[in-house]
Amino acid sequence: MLAFISCVLAIVAILVAIKASNRTFRLEKELSDLKATLQDAKLSDTSNVPVSFPRASTSPSKAINPDAAVTESRATPSDESLRQAQYKQQQTIPSHYQAVKPTSPNVASVAHSAAKTPSSLLSDAVNLSKERASTNTLNDLDTVFDRGLRKLIASFQENWLVWVGAIAMLIGGGYLVQVIGSRIEFSPVMRVAIAFTLSAFTIAVGEWFHRREQKDETRGKRASSFSYVPAAITGTGLTGIYCTVIFAFVVYQMLAPTTSLVILAIAAFSSLALSLRQGPLMAVLGLVGGYSAPLWIGGTDPNYFLLGGYIAAITLAGTVLMQQAKQAWLAPSIAVPHLLWMVILIEAVPQAQLFVWLSVFLTFTLYVLFAVPRLGWLLDVRYRHGQTTLTHHPVVMSIATVLLLFWSTEQFDVMSGIEMLYLYGFLMVTLWLPALRKGIAPRIFQGVSVVVAVSLLILSFSMKAFDWWLSDREVLMCLGVSNMLVALRTVAQYLGGDRSVPSRVLLVVLAPIMTILTLGYVDVLMAEQLVFWSMFTALVAGLYVQIGIRVPALTEDVSACVHGMLAALSFVWFDDATLTFAISAQVAVMALQAQYGIFRPAYWAIKVAMSLLVVRLTLLPFIPDWQPQDGGDWSWVLLSYLPSLALLAYARVVLRNTQADIANWFEGAFLHVFLVALFTQTNYWLTGSYGYATEIDFTSSIVYANQALVMALVYGYRSQFADKLSLVYRGYGYLLLLAFVAFEVLLNTMDSPLIHDHVLASEWPVFNMLTLGWLLPASVLFSAYFCRLSALQISPRIYAGSGLALVGIWLGMSIRHFWQPSSMTIFNSTSMAELFSYSVAGLVVGGVLTWAGVTRQALHVQRVGLVLLACVAVKVFLWDVSSLDGFWRAISFLGLGASLIGLGWLFQKLNKSVSEKPST
């Protein structure tokens, strides 16, 4: 029933296509007659005016277009030579694939223009050219996708009858062959003969129709479009040929595999020849029919080598057509169905045949789809391919073929050594195939090296994960050889003349990164092979040393990569203080190389290595695993920091006169490491430990707060004298200030001595942790205020205000610590002497601040002092009245009164001296 419906659809499609063709023929005939009439009218109107008309060889659109006539009359000799060159270039492409300039559809406007005078024609031509220029500008603003989408929609609206009819004819032709082969009661030979005869007859009808259409010049130009009716009929016949051959082989075994493959190849190349005659629609229908032919004929036990050969033949024929016609759209039209068939067949081929099948057809896929569209059959770098990045990109095709390779490995339960070698060989062929002839490939192939490098790492690491046949040593040997070939490929690309930035980057970093990543993988999962791969890493480093020596333009970058590989070896072979010393020594060696010009590394590499050392030394106190295990607690700081400090200082001295920029980096690194070492050892002296992040207590918080504050101010000061590192120093200073604030908040809330017994009452006054936690950072802040440190863009008044706040907290807690006999926490009672001491301290501090504000004319300081005096007065009149009694209450009021009277007398004296001072 389905076959019958398909046949009916095919017949209907043929009738619709013929009807549409006849209608198109009538419309084109009427349009030709109208053009002839307009041409006669224009000749009669302008017979007395010397106007230049297009030559006979000009396209019809120019013959009826006034703008074209004006442009032709004004053409310079250079324009004429340009047109001739373009014409010669177009002659290399088959005529049916050349773009045909459409005639103007607006016939009424043409007739109106023809009736005008020559002057008006010239004016209209100028205006129309301006309108066209503006229109072209607007069109340039549109995206390529939008223009292509509009063109596709317009083409579909105009030609959908032909397209739908062609598809229906293809389906009907395939099912017709199936009906003849399975339902008609004839002998197998007769069935095949009938199917073949009908298919050949359909091709003959299409060819006859094509010749008829070519007799008319206007209708013959439709062969260059996708709406050519004869191509649809011929494509149906070719589909029948495909299905007949496969049916004869699969169902009746009438043909040998070789014979079937030859016939299919002949049919495919016949489709190529007919496509060159009948245009792109023939190519599309031929590809659709060719790739879909195996779907019409089923079989219980198909021959996968025959099917693979058939798909390869269709792909080969389509590629030849693409190379001949220079049509970029054919590349994805061939690649997509071919890759889909490869996936289907890889899933279906039995495992016993899969390796041989892959070695033939996957290699064919790599050559035909990956290399030929860009390089031609002979892999010529200068081949004129006509492809775009959207139609054929080598990186995309390499990813597709590599995915097919990995997909096929999933079908193997156990892989032999030969199969493993094929996997590595396939990736190496992918890498070297574009550069097989000249040693250099077009630049668009540069990304393929990255794809192959990543694929090699994935393949090698997967072998260890899935425990395949090869041993660890053999896997590493295969990877090592592949790694060297990758390095040689990048070297050949650069030395062959490709001096682009991507080529330089790939040469410098691709093979070393592969080596370093493999070294880390071996160190973690193949520890017994660490010596072997370390020797290979040293070999790669030696190879790159030779490259850097022989190519001076790459010396700095290559030297940086060599140091990177040496640093990786240090990380896998050293630990603790030995690793820190090794990194320090490497930094010093790099500085000496920069000083004396011996295989000089790039400056960025020196900065990276030094930054790595600084980061390690900064995190060293917080990560016990990085600290020397055989040294005592008092000595590991010396073992870890002193050699690095010595080497950094030496490098700073060496580069001071020649490389000022790098020398400043070394100076900053030395300063940072010195501060970290100093405060780390100070923390040990005060707390008895190094205060790891998991063991922060009251004492460690005090030490860290002071360290953060001092280092923040030092980095802020250092940022004033730095150029490129100014932002780095300033940012680090802000982070340290935030850390200081966080520690101070912690010390005054959760770890406050007023809540916990961190400071015992039996300790000495002043000489205790309160002084270190509050008075010492206050003194540092006051120093910043008096030195006017504004590098961190923080007002010095903020330093002074923060310092006063810390001094006030320290004074209050020190008074409580002095008067409390057992514990200074707020949970103990407060004596009258302690309350009186708070009033006295407030009066003294307030008076001093008020006097300092007046004498120094610092209004803010004076206001703070007056506010503090007001607070003390409120305390005396409100709190002391109720809390103190007897002698203490009297002393409190008397002291407050005497202090206020004395301050008033002092203000009067100061004001008098200021008023009596002579004005200058």
Side-chain angles (χ1 to χ4, degrees):
M1 184 63 183
L2 183 60
F4 176 74
I5 294 174
S6 301
C7 293
V8 173
L9 288 175
I11 295 172
V12 172
I14 293 174
L15 295 176
V16 171
I18 294 174
K19 184 178 179 181
S21 177
N22 292 330
R23 183 181 179 186
T24 303
F25 174 74
R26 289 195 302 270
L27 291 176
E28 288 179 347
K29 190 174 184 305
E30 293 175 0
L31 183 60
S32 300
D33 295 339
L34 182 59
K35 288 180 181 177
T37 304
L38 293 176
Q39 183 71 15
D40 295 338
K42 185 169 63 174
L43 288 174
S44 62
D45 287 341
T46 59
S47 58
N48 298 324
V49 181
V51 180
S52 299
F53 289 92
R55 293 185 298 272
S57 60
T58 326
S59 61
S61 61
K62 290 183 179 180
I64 62 172
N65 194 343
D67 302 322
V70 175
T71 305
E72 188 70 25
S73 64
R74 294 187 177 184
T76 61
S78 60
D79 296 334
E80 179 65 25
S81 61
L82 180 60
R83 286 198 300 272
Q84 293 178 359
Q86 292 176 351
Y87 175 77
K88 292 180 180 179
Q89 183 179 3
Q90 291 177 355
Q91 295 306 309
T92 61
I93 304 176
S95 59
H96 295 308
Y97 284 90
Q98 294 180 8
V100 178
K101 185 175 181 181
T103 57
S104 178
N106 195 345
V107 180
S109 62
V110 174
H112 181 70
S113 299
K116 292 184 178 181
T117 61
S119 59
S120 63
L121 282 174
L122 182 60
S123 176
D124 292 344
V126 173
N127 295 332
L128 189 57
S129 63
K130 291 181 180 181
E131 293 177 1
R132 288 182 176 179
S134 61
T135 304
N136 292 334
T137 304
L138 294 176
N139 290 337
D140 291 338
L141 298 177
D142 296 337
T143 62
V144 177
F145 177 79
D146 293 337
R147 293 197 300 268
L149 183 61
R150 290 195 297 268
K151 183 178 179 181
L152 179 62
I153 293 174
S155 180
F156 180 78
Q157 291 174 349
E158 182 180 356
N159 306 307
W160 69 272
L161 286 175
V162 179
W163 292 359
V164 173
I167 295 174
M169 288 180 65
L170 290 179
I171 298 174
Y175 278 116
L176 181 60
V177 173
Q178 184 182 22
V179 170
I180 294 173
S182 59
R183 302 294 178 87
I184 299 178
E185 298 296 334
F186 290 114
S187 62
V189 177
M190 197 65 183
R191 295 176 184 180
V192 173
I194 293 173
F196 185 82
T197 303
L198 288 177
S199 301
F201 176 75
T202 306
I203 295 176
V205 171
E207 178 64 19
W208 171 80
F209 200 4
H210 166 69
R211 293 185 179 182
R212 180 186 173 188
E213 293 290 297
Q214 292 298 313
K215 291 181 180 180
D216 185 271
E217 181 181 358
T218 303
R219 296 174 61 183
K221 292 179 179 179
R222 287 191 175 274
S224 62
S225 65
F226 287 91
S227 59
Y228 195 48
V229 176
I233 301 174
T234 306
T236 303
L238 285 173
T239 303
I241 295 293
Y242 296 146
C243 295
T244 302
V245 174
I246 295 179
F247 189 82
F249 173 77
V250 174
V251 178
Y252 296 114
Q253 290 80 38
M254 295 177 58
L255 301 175
T258 305
T259 305
S260 302
L261 185 60
V262 170
I263 296 175
L264 290 172
I266 293 173
F269 283 99
S270 300
S271 174
L272 166 65
L274 291 173
S275 299
L276 293 175
R277 285 174 52 80
Q278 299 183 15
L281 181 60
M282 181 65 222
V284 172
L285 297 178
L287 292 175
V288 172
Y291 282 117
S292 62
L295 300 177
W296 314 129
I297 307 299
T300 56
D301 188 17
N303 189 327
Y304 294 104
F305 283 91
L306 176 63
L307 289 177
Y310 170 75
I311 297 299
I314 300 300
T315 301
L316 189 64
T319 304
V320 172
L321 172 62
M322 176 183 64
Q323 303 293 67
Q324 185 69 22
K326 302 297 182 183
Q327 293 297 304
W329 61 267
L330 284 171
S333 303
I334 298 169
V336 173
H338 181 91
L339 294 174
L340 292 177
W341 270 113
M342 288 295 105
V343 173
I344 294 173
L345 293 176
I346 287 173
E347 286 287 337
V349 174
Q351 188 176 140
Q353 305 175 11
L354 183 57
F355 174 68
V356 180
W357 191 92
L358 285 174
S359 62
V360 175
F361 295 108
L362 193 57
T363 307
F364 171 83
T365 301
L366 177 66
Y367 173 67
V368 174
L369 297 186
F370 169 67
V372 171
R374 286 275 177 179
L375 304 175
W377 301 105
L378 300 179
L379 304 178
D380 187 4
V381 178
R382 299 183 181 274
Y383 177 74
R384 295 186 177 181
H385 49 79
Q387 299 293 331
T388 65
T389 55
L390 295 178
T391 58
H392 183 275
H393 200 294
V395 175
V396 176
M397 294 308 304
S398 64
I399 293 175
T401 53
V402 168
L403 291 178
L404 285 178
L405 181 71
F406 288 156
W407 188 273
S408 62
T409 58
E410 293 292 329
Q411 313 305 317
F412 290 96
D413 295 333
V414 179
M415 299 187 69
S416 64
I418 298 177
E419 293 166 348
M420 292 294 180
L421 292 177
Y422 173 76
L423 299 179
Y424 281 101
F426 183 87
L427 293 176
M428 288 299 98
V429 171
T430 305
L431 178 68
W432 276 94
L433 188 61
L436 192 60
R437 289 188 58 186
K438 302 292 184 180
I440 182 175
R443 291 181 179 179
I444 197 171
F445 284 88
Q446 290 173 340
V448 177
S449 301
V450 180
V451 175
V452 172
V454 174
S455 303
L456 286 170
L457 295 178
I458 294 175
L459 178 62
S460 303
F461 297 165
S462 299
M463 288 185 182
K464 176 65 177 178
F466 294 108
D467 196 17
W468 282 337
W469 186 81
L470 293 180
S471 62
D472 293 345
R473 177 65 62 86
E474 292 170 333
V475 171
L476 291 180
M477 289 181 64
C478 293
L479 182 58
V481 173
S482 303
N483 198 355
M484 295 297 291
L485 290 175
V486 171
L488 293 177
R489 172 71 179 84
T490 56
V491 172
Q493 183 76 17
Y494 185 85
L495 297 181
D498 186 0
R499 299 295 194 271
S500 61
V501 174
S503 176
R504 183 187 185 104
V505 172
L506 290 176
L507 168 60
V508 172
V509 305
L510 187 58
I513 285 180
M514 291 179 62
T515 306
I516 292 172
L517 291 177
T518 307
L519 183 65
Y521 183 83
V522 171
D523 182 41
V524 176
L525 297 177
M526 301 180 184
E528 64 279 1
Q529 302 297 329
L530 185 59
V531 176
F532 171 76
W533 195 257
S534 297
M535 295 174 61
F536 176 78
T537 304
L539 178 63
V540 175
L543 172 65
Y544 270 76
V545 169
Q546 294 298 319
I547 294 174
I549 294 175
R550 296 179 183 273
V551 186
L554 299 176
T555 300
E556 293 185 356
D557 294 330
V558 169
S559 177
C561 284
V562 170
H563 278 286
M565 288 184 278
L566 295 178
L569 289 173
S570 300
F571 270 96
V572 300
W573 282 105
F574 302 132
D575 54 7
D576 304 336
T578 309
L579 176 59
T580 305
F581 179 77
I583 299 176
S584 304
Q586 188 171 354
V587 173
V589 170
M590 295 172 74
L592 290 175
Q593 289 178 296
Q595 170 68 18
Y596 297 104
I598 302 175
F599 199 58
R600 175 185 300 169
Y603 292 148
W604 62 263
I606 301 176
K607 295 176 180 179
V608 169
M610 187 166 49
S611 301
L612 183 65
L613 175 63
V614 169
V615 170
R616 179 176 178 83
L617 293 175
T618 302
L619 299 178
L620 192 61
F622 304 96
I623 303 178
D625 293 337
W626 291 4
Q627 301 168 7
Q629 303 299 323
D630 53 351
D633 290 337
W634 63 272
S635 62
W636 77 263
V637 172
L638 300 178
L639 294 175
S640 300
Y641 285 96
L642 285 184
S644 301
L645 287 171
L647 292 174
L648 289 175
Y650 175 72
R652 165 70 178 88
V653 173
V654 166
L655 297 175
R656 180 174 54 190
N657 297 327
T658 57
Q659 304 295 334
D661 183 26
I662 302 297
N664 290 333
W665 278 74
F666 275 99
E667 182 178 349
F670 176 85
L671 175 64
H672 175 78
V673 173
F674 175 77
L675 291 176
V676 171
L678 176 63
F679 289 129
T680 301
Q681 191 62 34
T682 303
N683 184 65
Y684 173 73
W685 288 335
L686 295 175
T687 64
S689 65
Y690 289 100
Y692 308 130
T694 56
E695 302 177 1
I696 294 179
D697 55 9
F698 177 73
T699 307
S700 298
S701 299
I702 291 177
V703 175
Y704 286 155
N706 284 279
Q707 291 176 355
L709 178 60
V710 173
M711 293 178 68
L713 296 177
V714 170
Y715 279 111
Y717 177 75
R718 185 69 180 83
S719 66
Q720 296 177 338
F721 306 97
D723 295 331
K724 298 181 180 179
L725 292 180
S726 179
L727 292 177
V728 177
Y729 285 139
R730 193 176 297 118
Y732 195 44
Y734 286 135
L735 290 177
L736 290 172
L737 280 180
L738 291 177
F740 165 72
V741 172
F743 280 115
E744 285 297 331
V745 171
L746 179 65
L747 289 173
N748 288 281
T749 54
M750 298 176 60
D751 280 346
S752 175
L754 297 177
I755 300 176
H756 305 282
D757 284 326
H758 293 313
V759 180
L760 301 178
S762 59
E763 296 182 8
W764 284 86
V766 181
F767 300 100
N768 50 42
M769 297 302 296
L770 294 177
T771 301
L772 294 178
W774 283 265
L775 191 58
L776 181 59
S779 61
V780 174
L781 291 172
F782 283 136
S783 300
Y785 169 75
F786 288 113
C787 295
R788 299 294 177 182
L789 292 180
S790 59
L792 295 178
Q793 298 180 355
I794 296 177
S795 175
R797 295 177 180 178
I798 297 179
Y799 293 139
S802 303
L804 285 176
L806 291 177
V807 168
I809 296 173
W810 171 81
L811 183 59
M813 289 193 296
S814 297
I815 292 173
R816 185 164 184 82
H817 174 264
F818 178 80
W819 289 108
Q820 291 296 325
S822 58
S823 175
M824 61 174 294
T825 61
I826 59 176
F827 306 106
N828 295 331
S829 59
T830 304
S831 63
M832 289 183 289
E834 182 180 346
L835 288 175
F836 179 76
S837 299
Y838 292 136
S839 301
V840 173
L843 286 172
V844 173
V845 174
V848 171
L849 291 177
T850 303
W851 176 79
V854 173
T855 55
R856 294 179 175 271
Q857 297 182 356
L859 182 60
H860 295 285
V861 178
Q862 181 180 353
R863 288 175 178 175
V864 172
L866 293 175
V867 169
L868 186 58
L869 290 175
C871 292
V872 172
V874 171
K875 174 183 177 295
V876 170
F877 282 101
L878 297 181
W879 195 347
D880 290 359
V881 170
S882 59
S883 300
L884 301 178
D885 56 359
F887 176 74
W888 292 108
R889 181 182 297 175
I891 292 297
S892 178
F893 277 93
L894 291 174
L896 175 62
S899 300
L900 294 177
I901 292 173
L903 285 174
W905 173 79
L906 183 60
F907 278 138
Q908 293 176 358
K909 185 175 180 62
L910 289 174
N911 292 332
K912 182 179 179 181
S913 62
V914 170
S915 61
E916 292 178 353
K917 185 177 180 180
S919 60
T920 57

